[in-house]
């Protein structure tokens, strides 16, 4: 697991153009009941008309502040939640495209091995009473690999793949550090050769010195196993580091989606620009660039009229207060939902050329 | 125990301005548990000068929060200050900025003594990490702030309410007259954090300890809070000890930086020196391994091998040696390096810089970030 200082080479990985996953008009409302009669008074629009796609072999970063619905989106895709409406189109290896949203539990079984999840909390997501072998081999057993010897071999391979020693197989999770546990979580997610891996904040609970190890491992595995990642995180620097394309969400809606480079260098939505300016840069010479955004994230139970961002937007005009902007493609592969996207000149983040990363 | 502290020197503030407000010397705080002793803080020294921001940065288990608790004498029952000195220049009358000063060794005060209780809140105030847990949910925030004010200042209830409203306004809470009667759960995350800061500032402390004040909140709110703290610090000339694991926040806020690892100071110095000219292998590796919004996407990051040792079996010698790329057998694992001065105000705890070292000192990372 000690990968030491890595050679600073550019990653090469294949991205095909066909989307592996396409989400169209996804909505998930959580009802709010009140009183003894459990009368429906309102609903939390956790995800409100979200559309995006993930190409095979790429990493799509889903980023936003708390309450923006990024976790709800990822759970709907894995069908841990049943969406209120919308389509979740998943392409199987034989190019059959299926809408997952209306499927029942037995119908979903066929898809479960193809999409797996890496969880945020490496301490809460591993059962403390199961050994590492039991944790990683459980999905294998459930999906029909009954021979213990075969499972042991497969678990040993998986542990090696994520940089852990196979001898650790009989230990319990408490014997491992946070970073090692996250590797175990990754091994479990990869046990069934998934094609889509949904990683929900996989490094936010880790120490900074361990974060880099796990991020590098995820990049390595993607190259080796031709994985597709949906990487959900709130930390822009982590998202920038791992993603090919980034999708920014705000109060249940997608505000901008573009390639990582383009999004960071030339954001077209005021919220994206504000989000990037708010990140503290680890350079004492650049203290001036940190800028704050007035106000607070709107409540998804009671969102503002028009564009949800307008009360905090310095560029808001009358049209922003009344009309909800649609997500539209303003240049190839760059989607924005802002009425004024064409006219605004927003500052992005300059790439640090001197940096040796 | 508490009565043994005598005023050492008394004078006006003016000749003191270049003396540290708080001086931590070789502070050791251990946890005594059934499984063994955890040396959570093991010989930490740093100075806090008036009007300066000291950033303490480190990963989990490095003892940054225990240091803060030891200074305030609010350690858990299983922990104890073993040795060391924490000297505060305390004002005899905490509400009078021109009051005479005395030097108080906080480690010698009993945790329940009247003296330390007077210091907490009025001279050293804490901004805790969890804004949700810091307020009582069954009292209004105004009530809780007024309680602090009434405890430390000789004012009436009406005046205390007015002070609370003023301090609410100064931290940028709109409609302070109404918000003061709100309960903490009625406030949003950002407002709650502002209310906590207001509470900490209500008695005009000269030293603020901010323990990860922005980790639980969103990035746009974090930027607001950082700006607010910076503005308040400039207006009031408050000293701040800023504890965080986020190097970005440290670079934005601190004047001096203390880098800790497993209870020890690895490196300390001015913020420019730490970020532009880091000397300790740990600091250098840490700076290299963080992804930045300014770096190129999808490049592999240099990492630090291994993981942080469990506090029960901390490595002998330099605590970082099992993960260090400059490890010298028989030197680093044999004894602990002391702090070595490499430049004015810049100290490193590493054998590479000791005068007896035969190894050539590693070049500094001029362009580390």
């Amino acid at each position: 697991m000690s990968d030491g200082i890595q050679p600073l080479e550019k990653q090469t990985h294949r991205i095909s153009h066909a989307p592996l996953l396409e989400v169209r008009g996804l909505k998930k409302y959580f009802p709010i009941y009140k009183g003894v009669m459990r009368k429906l008074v309102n609903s939390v629009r956790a995800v409100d008309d979200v559309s995006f796609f993930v190409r095979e072999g790429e990493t799509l970063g889903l980023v936003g502040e708390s309450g923006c619905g990024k976790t709800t989106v990822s759970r709907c895709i894995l069908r841990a939640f049943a969406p209120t409406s919308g389509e979740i189109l998943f392409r199987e290896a034989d190019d059959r495209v299926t809408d997952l949203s209306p499927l029942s539990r037995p119908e979903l079984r066929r898809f479960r091995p193809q999409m797996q999840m890496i969880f945020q909390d490496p301490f809460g997501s591993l059962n403390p009473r199961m050994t590492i072998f039991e944790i990683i081999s459980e999905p294998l057993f459930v999906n029909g690999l009954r021979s213990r010897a075969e499972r042991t071999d497969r678990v040993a391979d998986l542990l090696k793949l994520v940089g852990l020693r196979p001898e650790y197989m009989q230990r319990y999770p408490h014997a491992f550090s946070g970073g090692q546990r996250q590797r175990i979580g990754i091994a479990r997610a990869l046990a069934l050769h998934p094609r889509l891996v949904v990683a929900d904040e996989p490094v936010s609970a880790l120490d900074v010195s361990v974060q880099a190890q796990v991020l590098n491992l995820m990049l390595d595995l993607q190259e080796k196993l031709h994985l597709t990642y949906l990487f959900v995180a709130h930390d822009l620097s982590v998202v920038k580091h791992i993603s090919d394309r980034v999708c920014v969400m705000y109060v249940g809606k997608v505000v901008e989606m573009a390639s990582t480079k383009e999004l960071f260098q030339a954001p077209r939505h005021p919220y994206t620009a504000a989000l990037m300016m708010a990140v503290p840069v680890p350079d004492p010479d650049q203290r001036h660039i940190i800028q704050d955004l007035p106000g607070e994230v709107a409540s998804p139970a009671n969102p503002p009229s028009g564009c949800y961002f307008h009360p905090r937007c310095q560029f808001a005009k009358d049209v922003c207060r009344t009309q909800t902007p649609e997500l539209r493609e303003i240049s190839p592969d760059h989607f924005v939902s802002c009425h004024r996207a064409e006219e605004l000149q927003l500052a992005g983040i300059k790439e640090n050329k001197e940096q040796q990363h | 125990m508490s009565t043994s502290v005598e005023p050492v020197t008394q004078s006006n503030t003016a000749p003191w301005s270049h003396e540290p407000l708080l001086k931590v010397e070789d502070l050791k705080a251990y946890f005594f548990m059934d499984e063994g002793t955890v040396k959570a803080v093991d010989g930490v020294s740093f100075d806090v000068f008036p009007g300066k921001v000291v950033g303490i940065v480190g990963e989990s288990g490095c003892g940054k929060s225990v240091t803060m608790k030891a200074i305030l004498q609010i350690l858990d029952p299983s922990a104890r200050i073993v040795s060391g000195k924490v000297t505060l220049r305390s004002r005899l009358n905490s509400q009078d900025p021109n009051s005479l000063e005395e030097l108080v060794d906080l480690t010698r005060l009993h945790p329940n003594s009247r003296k330390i209780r007077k210091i907490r809140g009025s001279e050293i105030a804490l901004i805790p990490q969890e804004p949700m847990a810091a307020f009582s949910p069954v009292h209004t925030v105004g009530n809780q702030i007024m309680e602090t004010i009434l405890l430390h200042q000789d004012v009436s209830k009406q005046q205390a309410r007015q002070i609370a409203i003023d301090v609410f306004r100064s931290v940028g809470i709109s409609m302070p007259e109404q918000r003061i009667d709100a309960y903490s759960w009625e406030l949003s995350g950002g407002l709650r954090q502002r209310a906590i800061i207001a509470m900490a500032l209500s008695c005009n402390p000269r030293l603020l300890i901010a323990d990860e004040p922005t980790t639980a909140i969103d990035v746009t709110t974090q930027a607001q809070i950082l700006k607010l703290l910076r503005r308040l610090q400039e207006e009031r000339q408050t000293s701040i000890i800023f504890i965080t694991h986020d190097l970005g926040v440290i670079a934005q806020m601190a004047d001096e930086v203390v880098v800790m690892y497993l209870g020890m100071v690895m490196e300390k110095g001015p913020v420019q020196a730490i970020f532009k000219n880091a000397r300790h292998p740990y600091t250098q590796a840490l700076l290299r391994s963080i992804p930045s919004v300014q770096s190129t996407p999808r490049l592999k990051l240099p990492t630090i091998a291994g993981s942080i040792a469990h506090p029960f079996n901390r490595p002998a010698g330099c605590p970082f040696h099992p993960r260090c790329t400059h490890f010298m057998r028989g030197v680093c694992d044999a004894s602990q390096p002391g702090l070595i001065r490499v430049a004015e105000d810049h100290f490193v705890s590493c054998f590479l810089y000791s005068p007896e070292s035969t190894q050539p000192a590693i070049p500094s990372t001029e362009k580390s970030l």
Side-chain angles (χ1 to χ4, degrees), chain B residues 25-66:
Chain B
E25 292 167 272
D26 200 28
L27 182 69
K28 294 184 181 181
Y30 296 173
F31 284 79
F32 297 95
M33 310 210 284
D34 295 342
E35 299 92 332
T37 305
V38 174
K39 298 180 176 176
V41 176
D42 203 11
V44 168
S45 313
F46 61 89
D47 299 336
V48 184
F49 285 91
K52 295 283 178 200
V53 181
V54 174
I56 302 185
V57 65
E59 300 176 275
S60 58
C62 75
K64 52 192 193 298
S65 290
V66 181

Side-chain angles (χ1 to χ4, degrees), chain B residues 65-217:
Chain B
S65 290
V66 181
T67 306
M68 168 276 286
K69 288 185 174 175
I71 292 171
L72 283 169
Q73 289 268 20
I74 50 171
L75 287 166
D76 296 342
S78 60
R80 216 172 58 223
I81 297 174
V82 178
S83 67
K85 268 172 87 175
V86 178
T87 317
L88 174 76
R89 263 167 51 204
S90 165
R91 286 176 291 192
L92 288 178
N93 176 359
S94 59
Q95 284 320 304
D96 178 7
N98 298 318
S99 152
L100 297 178
E101 294 182 331
E102 60 172 337
L103 292 174
V104 180
D105 183 357
L106 300 182
T107 59
R108 304 274 297 270
L109 301 177
H110 189 270
N112 295 333
S113 65
R114 187 176 281 272
K115 191 147 197 173
I116 188 94
R117 277 162 45 205
K118 239 184 119 181
I119 288 171
R120 289 182 202 140
S122 68
E123 298 211 56
I124 307 179
L126 174 71
I127 301 174
Q129 182 171 156
E130 262 305 328
M132 194 69 202
F135 275 119
S136 156
V138 296
H139 300 95
T140 62
V141 286
N143 248 326
Q144 295 174 64
I145 295 174
M146 280 161 64
E147 188 187 1
T148 322
I149 298 168
L150 289 169
L151 198 64
H152 292 292
Q153 298 179 31
D154 189 20
V155 290
S156 71
K157 257 192 155 161
Q158 272 309 310
Q159 287 167 311
R161 189 180 164 83
Q162 195 51 48
I163 295 173
I165 289 171
D166 290 344
V167 75
F168 254 47
R169 192 173 288 123
S170 75
V171 297
I173 297 178
S174 57
M175 301 186 294
E177 290 87 355
Q178 282 93 55
R179 290 269 166 68
I180 199 131
D181 293 321
Y183 289 92
S184 63
W185 39 266
E186 293 176 311
L187 303 175
S188 66
L191 276 181
R192 217 178 284 135
Q193 194 65 352
R194 282 173 196 264
I196 284 284
I197 293 172
M199 181 141 127
L201 292 173
S202 61
C203 295
N204 291 311
R206 288 199 293 175
L207 176 62
L208 264 182
I209 301 183
D211 183 14
E212 307 256 15
T214 58
T215 24
I217 50 183

Side-chain angles (χ1 to χ4, degrees), chain A residues 2-6 8-11 13 59 65-66 177 207-209 212-213 215-216 219-220 222 236-238 240-244 260 264 275 278-287 290-296 312 349-352 354-355 357, chain B residues 59-60 188-191 218-224 226-227 230 245-255 271-272 275-276 282 286-308 323 325 367-369:
Chain A
S2 53
D3 21 17
I5 305 271
Q6 296 282 343
L8 305 165
E9 67 209 84
K10 182 95 176 81
Q11 290 278 315
H13 62 288
T59 304
E65 295 183 277
S66 58
S177 67
D207 277 311
V208 271
S209 70
Q213 293 175 6
L215 288 175
N216 284 352
L219 285 172
D220 269 345
Q222 178 164 50
L236 277 174
S237 42
V238 169
K240 180 175 188 193
H241 180 69
I242 197 153
S243 306
D244 297 293
T260 308
F264 278 82
L275 200 58
V279 178
V281 182
D283 183 349
D285 288 340
Q286 298 187 31
R287 289 199 176 184
I290 183 163
Q291 270 166 31
D292 58 346
L293 183 64
E296 306 249 344
R312 305 177 75 189
I349 284 184
K350 280 188 212 81
E351 223 151 88
N352 202 341
E354 286 173 49
Q355 199 165 318
H357 278 178
Chain B
E59 300 176 275
S60 58
S188 66
L191 276 181
D218 280 318
V219 53
T220 53
T221 319
Q222 167 173 288
Q224 293 173 6
L226 294 182
K227 265 202 153 169
R230 211 191 275 164
H245 66 278
D246 188 332
L247 285 162
V249 172
I250 285 284
Q252 294 292 323
M253 296 297 293
D255 298 308
V271 66
Q272 288 287 342
F275 279 88
K276 303 286 174 183
Y282 175 62
L286 204 58
L287 286 169
R288 273 197 302 262
S289 69
I290 46 168
S292 159
V293 277
Q294 296 183 329
S295 58
T296 320
R298 294 193 69 90
L299 279 185
K300 229 173 254 180
L301 290 170
T303 62
I304 306 178
S307 52
I308 302 162
R323 307 176 72 187
T325 44
K367 281 177 188 158
S368 66
L369 267 171

Side-chain angles (χ1 to χ4, degrees), chain A residues 120-140:
Chain A
Q120 172 173 14
D121 181 4
F123 296 87
S125 61
L126 302 178
N127 186 339
R129 306 180 69 159
M130 286 165 83
T131 63
I132 303 312
F133 169 76
E134 286 166 341
I135 288 169
I136 299 177
S137 70
E138 194 179 28
L140 298 168

Side-chain angles (χ1 to χ4, degrees), chain A residues 80-239:
Chain A
F81 291 152
T84 308
S85 69
E87 293 173 34
I88 301 163
L89 303 172
F90 184 76
R91 195 165 54 82
E92 289 179 86
D94 52 5
D95 278 339
R96 264 189 305 166
V97 177
T98 316
D99 182 8
L100 302 181
S101 57
L103 297 189
S104 63
R105 281 178 69 118
E107 288 169 322
L108 279 166
R109 278 211 63 151
R110 185 158 60 87
F111 298 94
R112 296 276 188 218
Q114 302 183 45
M115 33 182 31
Q116 289 289 316
M117 187 150 189
I118 301 170
F119 296 91
Q120 172 173 14
D121 181 4
F123 296 87
S125 61
L126 302 178
N127 186 339
R129 306 180 69 159
M130 286 165 83
T131 63
I132 303 312
F133 169 76
E134 286 166 341
I135 288 169
I136 299 177
S137 70
E138 194 179 28
L140 298 168
F141 186 81
V142 170
N143 285 282
L145 192 65
R146 297 295 153 106
S147 142
R148 192 177 169 98
E150 273 179 54
R151 273 185 289 145
T152 311
D153 286 348
R154 179 89 183 107
V155 172
D157 287 346
L158 283 164
L159 284 176
K160 269 186 256 170
L161 191 68
V162 297
L164 290 173
R165 307 235 304 262
E167 301 91 88
Y168 293 164
M169 209 184 284
Q170 293 307 327
R171 294 193 191 176
Y172 287 88
H174 72 84
F176 296 90
S177 67
Q180 287 171 319
R181 282 183 212 211
Q182 204 56 301
R183 287 168 193 267
I184 294 165
I186 293 173
R188 173 176 62 185
L190 297 180
L192 295 167
H193 302 291
R195 296 171 63 228
L196 176 69
V197 174
V198 177
D200 189 1
E201 303 264 11
V203 296
S204 58
L206 303 177
D207 277 311
V208 271
S209 70
V210 182
Q211 263 190 16
Q213 293 175 6
V214 172
L215 288 175
N216 284 352
L217 174 71
M218 286 185 70
L219 285 172
D220 269 345
L221 291 171
Q222 178 164 50
E223 210 176 307
K224 245 184 248 174
L225 306 173
H226 197 50
L227 295 170
T228 308
Y229 289 137
L230 179 66
F231 192 97
V232 181
H234 71 280
D235 187 334
L236 277 174
S237 42
V238 169
V239 166

